[in-house]
């Protein structure tokens, strides 16, 4: 079946508003109790992700010729923002957006024809992205998972950690070292990206072990024990994977920034509503400047971060360099949502800690973005070195 998303027919100027309205309508079917109940069980939001896929939103970045909507990162970011703004958590499915660029820009025609229509229709899920390792952490070029070519397969050995949604994805974009680090001129050389079919891999050299975290995130550890991956799973050229990864990382930062903006707006709306209706000392608490100013300041910071997010997204969609802007958007938005989360707990007093108010759930969820997918320190190090020209500090 050729899948066609209705948003592609809408005039560009109306597209963003239509997208916002459409995602909000869909999210209304998944209100706070839905997410609260899943959070308590640490369960994956299957029904929500299915609904989002069926409505075509997760195929936003896939070109129309492959059954998607052919939209940009700007539009994808609006979709994810609205999910978080509605009280949900786009982390359940955002990887399909940020991994897409690697396949679109660097995959072969054959790979695109094989996978993209099925990803667009929902038959295949591309929700897992395997970079981080237990012993290398933020130092991505030092990954130790190896893929050794043997005739028409790669043999993969090693371990990954914090690989989210691996149990809820059919495909995994995996960063591996194909040439040993001591045999490459630059430390960014010799890395490659494989598109691993998890349905073939699990139990045949790949073991997935879930990690329970303080929020509902479906993250896992992966153990590769001589897993055989067909040679045609290689994306682009062998040894150039780090370069391909960088494209995806900028998209990821912009998309995560948008989720943080969504979180920030949700916290501010809830805080404002609560401050206006909660009466203590015979007046709404929101009449006190000590209550309203922190909410107002958090709002100012979310709105400022949003400008950098759209600026970065526009550069990305034009194909212009956007490393600095994507990083700055991620830092500003993550800080703004964390500030708004803290303010929301304070505004709600004791009720900020009650599960039934959802503030504490979203507070736990948005805290992640100070650390992942890139920590605040590493962004500051990037800005200091690459934007301001100071010496590399690590
Ligand atoms: C819930 C969750 C989901 C995740 N999902 C995925 C996923 O799907 N795929 C994936 O590949 N990864 C994923 N990650 C991993 C995430 O990207 C990493 O946790 C993150 O990049 C930080 O790496 P690390 O945890 O190894 O910390 P480390 O690199 O060990 O850093 C620890 C601390 O030290 C600081 N630090 C390190 N080096 C420096 C330095 N030179 N200067 C200043 N400070 C420094 C860091 O800022 C950080 O605060 C996820 C993580 C979490 C927690």
């Amino acid at each position: 079946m050729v899948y066609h998303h209705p948003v592609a027919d809408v005039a560009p100027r109306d597209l963003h508003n239509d997208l916002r309205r459409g995602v909000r309508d869909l999210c209304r079917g998944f209100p706070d109790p839905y997410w609260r109940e899943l959070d308590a069980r640490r369960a994956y939001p299957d029904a929500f992700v299915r609904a989002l896929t069926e409505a075509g939103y997760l195929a936003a970045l896939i070109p129309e010729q492959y059954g998607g909507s052919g939209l940009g990162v700007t539009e994808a970011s609006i979709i994810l923002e609205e999910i978080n703004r509605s009280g949900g958590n786009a982390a359940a499915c955002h990887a399909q957006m940020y991994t897409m660029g690697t396949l679109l820009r660097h995959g072969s025609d054959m790979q695109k024809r094989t996978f993209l229509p099925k990803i667009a229709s929902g038959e295949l899920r591309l929700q897992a992205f395997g970079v981080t390792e237990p012993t290398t952490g933020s130092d991505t070029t030092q990954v130790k998972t190896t893929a050794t070519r043997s005739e028409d397969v790669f043999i993969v050995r090693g371990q990954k950690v914090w690989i989210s949604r691996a149990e809820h994805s059919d495909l995994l974009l995996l960063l591996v070292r194909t040439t040993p680090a001591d045999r490459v001129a630059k430390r960014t050389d010799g890395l490659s990206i494989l598109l691993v079919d998890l349905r073939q891999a699990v139990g045949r050299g790949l073991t997935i072990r879930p990690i329970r975290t303080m929020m509902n995130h479906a993250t896992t550890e992966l153990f590769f024990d001589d897993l055989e991956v067909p040679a045609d799973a290689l994306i682009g050229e062998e040894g150039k994977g780090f370069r391909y990864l960088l494209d995806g990382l900028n998209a990821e930062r912009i998309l995560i920034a948008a989720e943080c903006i969504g979180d920030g707006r949700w916290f501010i709306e809830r805080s404002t509503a609560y401050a206006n209706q909660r009466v203590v000392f015979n007046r709404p608490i929101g009449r006190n400047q000590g209550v309203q100013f922190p909410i107002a300041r958090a709002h100012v910071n979310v709105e400022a971060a949003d400008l950098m997010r759209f600026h970065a997204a526009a550069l990305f969609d034009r194909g212009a360099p956007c490393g600095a802007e994507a990083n700055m958007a991620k830092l500003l938005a993550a800080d703004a949502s964390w500030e708004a989360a803290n303010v929301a707990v304070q505004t709600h007093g004791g009720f900020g800690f009650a599960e039934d108010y959802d503030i504490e759930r979203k507070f736990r969820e948005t805290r992640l973005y100070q650390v992942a997918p890139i920590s605040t320190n590493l962004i500051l190090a990037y800005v200091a070195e690459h934007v301001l020209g100071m010496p590399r500090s690590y």
Side-chain angles (χ1 to χ4, degrees):
M1 178 185 122
V2 178
Y3 191 84
H4 189 71
H5 191 276
V7 295
D9 299 328
V10 175
R13 68 176 178 282
D14 296 328
L15 184 59
H16 294 181
N17 285 339
D18 280 2
L19 270 178
R20 286 189 190 281
R21 246 193 315 272
V23 179
R24 256 179 236 174
D25 283 351
L26 187 146
C27 289
R28 227 166 270 133
F30 300 90
D32 293 347
Y34 172 78
W35 296 99
R36 201 182 302 147
E37 193 270 331
L38 291 173
D39 179 66
R41 288 193 289 122
R42 296 291 190 273
Y44 189 73
D46 283 306
F48 172 74
V49 176
R50 205 177 314 118
L52 206 65
T53 307
E54 282 168 6
Y57 292 116
L58 288 186
L61 292 171
I62 298 178
E64 287 180 274
Q65 69 183 111
Y66 299 111
S69 317
L71 299 172
V73 159
T74 303
E75 287 76 28
S77 82
I78 288 172
I79 294 169
L80 298 180
E81 177 197 335
E82 286 298 331
I83 295 169
N84 280 36
R85 192 179 178 170
S86 78
N89 188 1
C93 53
H94 55 197
Q96 189 134 311
M97 306 282 205
Y98 59 66
T99 51
M100 194 52 72
T102 308
L103 186 53
L104 288 180
R105 292 185 188 196
H106 308 291
S108 66
D109 282 347
M110 182 60 154
Q111 285 167 332
K112 289 190 220 174
R113 278 201 308 272
T114 307
F115 295 110
L116 292 177
K118 290 183 179 166
I119 296 171
S121 72
E123 194 182 324
L124 282 179
R125 299 162 300 172
L126 173 55
Q127 291 288 8
F129 189 37
V131 176
T132 309
E133 297 190 358
T135 58
T136 46
S138 306
D139 198 359
T140 308
T141 61
Q142 299 306 304
V143 295
K144 295 185 182 67
T145 298
T146 55
T148 314
R149 186 74 183 258
S150 168
E151 293 174 4
D152 55 354
V153 293
F154 284 103
I155 314 279
V156 181
R157 290 190 196 110
Q159 190 182 340
K160 297 275 172 185
V161 70
W162 305 120
I163 308 310
S164 305
R165 302 160 300 274
E167 297 169 295
H168 306 280
S169 186
D170 302 301
L171 302 169
L172 161 74
L173 267 184
L174 181 67
L175 183 72
V176 289
R177 184 157 277 292
T178 38
T179 307
D182 57 6
R183 277 201 256 138
V184 290
K186 280 194 297 178
R187 59 207 188 114
T188 48
D189 291 344
L191 295 167
S192 301
I193 294 189
L194 300 177
L195 185 61
V196 177
D197 189 331
L198 290 166
R199 298 163 306 169
Q200 308 290 325
V202 175
R204 296 193 187 94
L206 171 61
T207 306
I208 304 181
R209 195 181 293 161
I211 306 174
R212 195 177 158 95
T213 57
M214 74 183 211
M215 67 292 181
N216 187 16
H217 201 91
T219 197
T220 71
E221 254 177 313
L222 305 181
F223 300 88
F224 298 92
D225 197 4
D226 291 340
L227 171 71
E228 287 191 7
V229 176
D232 64 7
L234 179 72
I235 302 268
E237 275 181 63
E238 191 175 319
K240 300 209 168 141
F242 191 75
R243 211 179 304 160
Y244 306 155
L245 184 74
L246 287 182
D247 272 352
L249 295 184
N250 285 333
E252 181 183 65
R253 277 157 210 179
I254 296 165
L255 294 167
I256 296 289
E259 288 177 39
C260 290
I261 302 286
D263 279 344
R265 291 188 169 140
W266 183 90
F267 284 119
I268 289 159
E269 275 163 24
R270 292 287 167 117
S271 300
T272 306
Y274 190 79
N276 283 338
Q277 60 90 29
R278 169 73 171 170
V279 175
V280 182
F281 300 109
N282 297 319
R283 58 202 225 146
I285 57 169
R287 201 178 284 172
N288 302 298
Q289 290 183 339
V291 173
Q292 40 175 257
F293 283 9
I295 303 173
R297 182 178 291 277
H299 171 74
V300 171
N301 287 335
V302 168
E303 293 307 308
D306 198 35
L307 296 178
M308 185 62 82
R309 162 267 187 116
F310 276 116
H311 178 47
L315 290 172
F316 187 97
D317 286 335
R318 281 210 301 275
C322 66
E325 293 78 7
N327 274 292
M328 292 191 286
K330 154 70 174 59
L331 183 141
L332 290 169
D335 281 358
S337 75
W338 179 231
E339 179 191 5
N342 227 348
V343 166
V345 171
Q346 201 66 21
T347 305
H348 283 76
F351 294 103
F353 299 86
E355 289 182 353
D356 280 356
Y357 278 70
D358 300 291
I359 303 292
E360 61 82 35
R361 171 175 61 82
K362 294 281 284 177
F363 176 92
R364 286 182 279 117
E365 287 170 1
T366 216
R367 179 63 177 84
L368 175 64
Y369 300 120
Q370 296 286 318
V371 171
I374 180 174
S375 72
T376 304
N377 277 0
L378 269 287
I379 294 181
L380 292 172
Y382 176 94
V383 172
E385 182 186 345
H386 296 284
V387 180
L388 302 177
M390 286 188 259
R392 187 177 174 86
S393 61
Y394 55 92

